[in-house]
Amino acid sequence: MVSTLIAPASAQQETSFSEMASSEAKYTPGDFKPAPDKMETRFGKLEFPGGYPTEETVQKVYDELDLQRATQLYLDMYPALSAHGLLKGWVRDYGMTETSDIVVMANRLDSAPLILTGNTESLYSFFVLDMKANGPIVLEVPPGVMGPIDDHNFLFLADVGPTGQDKGKGGKYLILPPDYKGEVPDGYFVVHSPTNMAFSFLRANAATVGFGDKAINFYRKYAKVYPLKTGPREPRVINGTGTAANTLAPEDASAFKWMHEIISYEPADAFGKELLGKLASVGIEKGKPFTPDDRMQQIFTKAAHEGLAMSRAISFDSRDENAKVYPDRQWESPYITNNSTFYQNDYINLGARTAFHFTADGITPAMAAQMPEGKGSRYQTTYKDGQGRPLDGNKTYKLNMLPKVPVALFWAVTVYDPWTRSEIQSQPYPSISSQQEKPPVVNTDGTIDIYFSNEKPEDISGSNWVKTLPDQGFFVYIRYYGPLKAFNEKTWIPNDVELVK
């Protein structure tokens, strides 16, 4: 078991700087002991005769330094890489080439595309906002939709819907590019973006919008996105359901090419001098070509793999004492800090940030913090059964959903693939929900048994079963839409996923 690094607040003692310095023994000549001139390290033997590194040592050290910096960059830049992947995937695979294009998952989001922990129940609509090409952009949204607007660094800009400025009534959002100096007209909900690229994905309930052509016509009639300078124009609305697409960040050296693309398209102020300095140290600079040699390509490949390994450990076996929602359950929150900034005390919880962005899309306070009763949505995930063992697609598991799930709208249980963190591609819609067309069978005590296995258990309804894939793991989300008092106060606590056989 890996121990937590979080120290209890009671362990912190305030002392003056004078007390801090005076607590050490006074220096006398000869006290300082330099490091040895020969070191055994995990990347080889290092030698410093007379205090200077040998030529062989210099090469080893620079190889290791570049690897460490590149690995940390993979972690630090992952939110931006994930946003870049969404934007690229929507343009490349769905053909969103114009600002007025809208992709709608008109028959729900199925398992065909690779999208981090997408929801199978809502009707998503996707908007790409390129303000470098178009200047300020207007996003007209109808009532009955909700979701975030996020920037190219995957930082929250604004909410749309009941938790946004329109309060669920719909309206016109005006997204302004960095350092915009022009006039801001009246009649808009104004959003300032620190990056040239931004995006939004909004959710609508099928009960309101309808499926298929009804959903397409709803968005064609009531939603628009266009440059402020050109004025309104009819959108091209595309049905994305069933289309294979890849919105994931690369897991090889090409991730660093993406980093160069990102900082080249965005203003330097969007990143900060420290991060830009780390990027420059491995040859990634704005305004300069990115031409890594064979040595750096090999280092980038290794850094991506090591960064990926760290991300998997951080996400799937957290050592953060706040990861678990309930002390005696395996359920975790994607937002470990219960906020969408990942701030904890006076710092950013880096592990919490990695755990979220490696497994999920969509930064918004409405999914992170407790909202007013019946508002927003909260998610919980588990990677392990009740005994703490990773979920295995070769085995059979059961989740006994307790009655009276405390939601104002609906709940959904969805299964994901740990390799892609996207919907598991075992069936088109790997989920069970309280609003599905064929409701799950309810037990006499009001509970609902949901099964996860590669083969459907005998005597179990297909509406209570999600198919897994053999020889690989899976993980499970419960989504609570419009969580109520019993959820917020933790008087209703979900059961763990339990091994059947």
Side-chain angles (χ1 to χ4, degrees):
M1 175 63 70
V2 179
S3 63
T4 178
L5 293 183
I6 308 297
S10 59
Q12 308 301 315
Q13 299 291 331
E14 294 235 358
T15 60
S16 69
F17 184 81
S18 177
E19 291 172 328
M20 185 193 316
S22 299
S23 66
E24 298 182 2
K26 188 175 181 179
Y27 171 75
T28 58
D31 283 352
F32 177 73
K33 303 297 183 184
D37 62 354
K38 294 181 181 179
M39 303 178 188
E40 291 290 345
T41 71
R42 66 179 180 81
F43 53 96
K45 184 177 182 179
L46 308 181
E47 297 181 316
F48 301 87
Y52 290 99
T54 64
E55 185 176 339
E56 184 180 32
T57 291
V58 167
Q59 187 62 57
K60 290 177 182 177
V61 168
Y62 278 134
D63 285 347
E64 181 66 14
L65 178 62
D66 289 342
L67 175 61
Q68 287 194 22
R69 284 183 172 164
T71 303
Q72 192 59 52
L73 280 167
Y74 190 84
L75 297 173
D76 290 345
M77 287 291 291
Y78 202 89
L81 289 171
S82 185
H84 201 57
L86 286 169
L87 291 163
K88 269 196 165 187
W90 293 339
V91 171
R92 180 193 63 232
D93 298 329
Y94 292 116
M96 297 180 69
T97 56
E98 298 292 335
T99 301
S100 55
D101 292 344
I102 304 172
V103 170
V104 178
M105 298 302 174
N107 300 98
R108 299 187 293 148
L109 177 62
D110 63 347
S111 60
L114 301 180
I115 297 177
L116 293 178
T117 51
N119 166 22
T120 59
E121 304 309 304
S122 299
L123 299 181
Y124 282 107
S125 56
F126 297 96
F127 304 83
V128 173
L129 311 173
D130 185 350
M131 290 162 283
K132 190 169 187 175
N134 298 284
I137 292 178
V138 178
L139 177 60
E140 292 188 18
V141 297
V145 300
M146 65 181 74
I149 303 172
D150 294 330
D151 77 1
H152 206 170
N153 269 322
F154 229 135
L155 295 175
F156 173 75
L157 297 180
D159 261 340
V160 172
T163 57
Q165 296 180 69
D166 64 295
K167 306 300 182 185
K169 298 178 181 178
K172 299 178 181 180
Y173 283 79
L174 175 61
I175 300 90
L176 300 176
D179 301 322
Y180 178 69
K181 304 298 183 184
E183 292 187 7
V184 179
D186 295 331
Y188 296 93
F189 302 117
V190 179
V191 178
H192 295 267
S193 174
T195 59
N196 291 313
M197 294 295 297
F199 60 93
S200 179
F201 52 92
L202 305 181
R203 303 188 308 272
N205 196 316
T208 303
V209 176
F211 290 112
D213 289 342
K214 288 183 178 180
I216 295 294
N217 291 332
F218 173 87
Y219 279 99
R220 185 176 288 128
K221 182 176 181 180
Y222 297 111
K224 290 182 175 63
V225 56
Y226 51 87
L228 177 66
K229 63 186 177 184
T230 66
R233 59 194 188 197
E234 290 300 312
R236 182 171 73 100
V237 185
I238 307 158
N239 186 352
T241 300
T243 299
N246 178 17
T247 71
L248 306 183
E251 298 182 355
D252 57 20
S254 61
F256 296 89
K257 176 179 178 290
W258 279 28
M259 293 181 201
H260 184 256
E261 291 175 355
I262 293 167
I263 68 165
S264 296
Y265 207 76
E266 298 295 352
D269 289 346
F271 303 98
K273 296 185 185 301
E274 177 80 15
L275 184 58
L276 289 174
K278 288 181 181 178
L279 289 161
S281 74
V282 295
I284 302 173
E285 289 189 68
K286 184 180 177 70
K288 293 186 178 181
F290 178 58
T291 55
D293 57 18
D294 289 343
R295 170 184 167 273
M296 282 306 300
Q297 279 289 89
Q298 291 177 26
I299 286 174
F300 286 148
T301 297
K302 188 174 183 180
H305 290 169
E306 292 192 6
L308 180 68
M310 294 173 188
S311 299
R312 288 191 180 279
I314 291 167
S315 302
F316 299 150
D317 202 350
S318 178
R319 62 181 177 180
D320 192 317
E321 64 180 3
N322 297 312
K324 289 187 178 180
V325 181
Y326 314 101
D328 59 345
R329 296 289 191 277
Q330 298 294 335
W331 294 102
E332 301 181 11
S333 171
Y335 288 99
I336 291 174
T337 56
N338 291 319
N339 61 58
S340 56
T341 60
F342 309 107
Y343 291 168
Q344 183 170 306
N345 301 323
D346 300 322
Y347 57 87
I348 294 176
N349 184 324
L350 297 178
R353 185 178 67 183
T354 292
F356 178 85
H357 282 290
F358 185 67
T359 62
D361 286 329
I363 287 292
T364 167
M367 292 191 295
Q370 181 174 313
M371 306 299 289
E373 187 176 10
K375 302 291 185 182
S377 56
R378 297 297 294 275
Y379 303 163
Q380 293 174 351
T381 183
T382 186
Y383 309 106
K384 301 173 182 178
D385 66 16
Q387 302 302 309
R389 298 165 297 206
L391 298 173
D392 182 348
N394 292 318
K395 298 177 180 178
T396 299
Y397 298 86
K398 180 177 73 173
L399 170 61
N400 178 251
M401 285 290 287
L402 296 173
K404 299 180 180 179
V405 181
V407 291
L409 299 174
F410 67 96
W411 57 264
V413 173
T414 311
V415 177
Y416 298 97
D417 180 341
W419 289 115
T420 65
R421 292 88 65 207
S422 304
E423 290 178 33
I424 194 168
Q425 293 182 325
S426 58
Q427 60 193 78
Y429 300 99
S431 64
I432 304 293
S433 84
S434 60
Q435 64 170 12
Q436 64 191 37
E437 185 176 358
K438 183 181 179 182
V441 175
V442 181
N443 299 325
T444 55
D445 61 359
T447 64
I448 296 174
D449 291 331
I450 299 174
Y451 287 84
F452 313 101
S453 60
N454 181 238
E455 299 291 339
K456 188 173 78 67
E458 292 183 12
D459 303 322
I460 298 300
S461 169
S463 60
N464 292 60
W465 170 63
V466 180
K467 182 179 177 62
T468 60
L469 295 175
D471 303 324
Q472 73 165 67
F474 67 95
F475 63 95
V476 179
Y477 259 58
I478 303 179
R479 285 179 168 83
Y480 305 86
Y481 288 95
L484 300 175
K485 182 178 180 181
F487 176 87
N488 293 332
E489 295 183 353
K490 299 182 181 179
T491 56
W492 186 96
I493 298 176
N495 288 320
D496 278 326
V497 174
E498 297 291 357
L499 178 65
V500 175
K501 62 177 180 178

